[in-house]
Amino acid sequence: EVLKQYDKVVIPEMNLGQLATLIRAKYLVDAESYNQVNGMPFKAEQLATALKEAIDG
């Protein structure tokens, strides 16, 4: 119910998107995955850019 209240759901992950796949399958929401697989944490600017692009569509 909570996820369906939002127009867009973005899931940042430091892997290949396993959580987003599970969320899509279990809750039937169109969750967008933002992945990074390089052993480094996300930078705030990276996440801000990804979220802005998701919102602006």
Side-chain angles (χ1 to χ4, degrees):
E1 292 180 24
V2 173
L3 292 175
K4 290 184 180 183
Q5 294 177 4
Y6 297 94
D7 294 331
K8 302 226 178 183
V9 176
V10 179
I11 302 175
E13 295 186 73
M14 297 196 51
N15 56 36
L16 297 175
Q18 290 90 339
L19 178 61
T21 301
L22 289 172
I23 296 291
R24 284 187 205 109
K26 182 165 177 99
Y27 300 107
L28 303 175
V29 294
D30 187 22
E32 295 180 30
S33 185
Y34 179 70
N35 304 330
Q36 176 173 296
V37 186
N38 64 6
M40 301 296 293
F42 288 111
K43 293 184 179 178
E45 184 176 328
Q46 287 175 299
L47 289 176
T49 300
L51 294 174
K52 183 169 177 16
E53 288 175 1
I55 291 169
D56 293 341

